[in-house]
Amino acid sequence: EVVTSFPIQYAKVQPPPVRDETLARERLLDWLHVKIHSRVVLILADAGYGKTTLLADFARRTRLRTLWYRLDVDDLDWTAILHHLVAAGREHDPTFAPATVSMLAETGINGPSRESVLDVFIRELPTIAPSGALLIFDDFHLVDEAQDMRFIARELVARAPERLSLVFASRRAPTIPLARLRANGEVAELAT
């Protein structure tokens, strides 16, 4: 058993609680219910429009496994990003991604590369999504300029298992290339 010494911030990998008095936005929840199986779902709006609340409410109602990752300006380094993605999966399956975890334990000057660790992570993803799952990147605009995050997001969009949908909640469209997916009808977009 590899015990990671990486400081996981568990609040970042759990959907925020939805207060009972939160107004259910039925029309938007219905839209999500229909569109959630798209490869990529974009929820784009300025601050204060309730992107996070909508997704937290949806996560609470759906039967799909929901991996949540609330990003902030510290999520710039690929090792931190992958540690948190593993932690998000381990909210559902405490044994998720053992090979990724052991590779992350070896990162350092002569350790495995970002590409090789991400490759192993992507190969381990199907175990978390046997009957469909969502990976929600909340506040993606805060890290969209970070090279490691953009690389990881682009690779996940291109190579994650078919039954895994990637949801980006952001104040603006992510800079990852989506034109081909958009042309194939694989991108659902909800804007202000």
Side-chain angles (χ1 to χ4, degrees):
E1 175 65 24
V2 180
V3 176
T4 174
S5 58
F6 191 85
I8 297 293
Q9 295 175 45
Y10 287 98
K12 294 171 69 156
V13 297
Q14 295 165 339
V18 179
R19 293 192 307 275
D20 288 336
E21 65 271 18
T22 298
L23 183 66
R25 294 152 82 185
E26 299 300 340
R27 213 185 67 211
L28 298 180
L29 290 166
D30 289 346
W31 182 89
L32 269 174
H33 184 74
V34 170
K35 301 289 189 179
I36 205 65
H37 298 288
S38 302
R39 177 51 153 187
V40 173
V41 178
L42 303 175
I43 309 289
L44 307 175
D46 287 328
Y49 272 88
K51 299 178 294 293
T52 299
T53 303
L54 173 66
L55 287 170
D57 195 14
F58 183 80
R60 187 176 68 166
R61 295 163 185 260
T62 184
R63 286 202 186 104
L64 294 169
R65 278 186 170 177
T66 303
L67 282 63
W68 190 279
Y69 189 0
R70 186 171 51 83
L71 296 152
D72 62 42
V73 290
D74 298 327
D75 295 302
L76 304 176
D77 170 68
W78 66 269
T79 54
I81 295 163
L82 283 168
H83 273 289
H84 279 90
L85 286 172
V86 168
R90 288 191 167 191
E91 289 288 305
H92 296 280
D93 173 3
T95 64
F96 172 62
T100 303
V101 170
S102 65
M103 283 180 87
L104 282 168
E106 296 165 22
T107 55
I109 297 181
N110 296 318
S113 68
R114 170 185 78 176
E115 289 73 5
S116 60
V117 179
L118 181 59
D119 190 55
V120 168
F121 177 74
I122 289 172
R123 279 193 303 219
E124 288 186 297
L125 268 175
T127 64
I128 205 83
S131 53
L134 313 175
L135 173 51
I136 295 175
F137 289 106
D138 193 17
D139 287 335
F140 192 78
H141 57 276
L142 295 175
V143 295
D144 196 17
E145 297 302 308
Q147 239 179 335
D148 281 349
M149 187 67 234
R150 210 175 331 180
F151 175 78
I152 289 169
R154 193 178 64 225
E155 290 296 301
L156 286 170
V157 166
R159 299 174 45 216
E162 217 169 87
R163 301 189 66 101
L164 182 74
S165 298
L166 298 144
V167 181
F168 295 90
S170 182
R171 293 188 189 169
R172 59 186 174 273
T175 56
I176 51 179
L178 297 173
R180 190 179 54 77
L181 285 172
R182 220 181 269 278
N184 293 335
E186 280 295 310
V187 177
E189 188 169 330
L190 182 64
T192 308

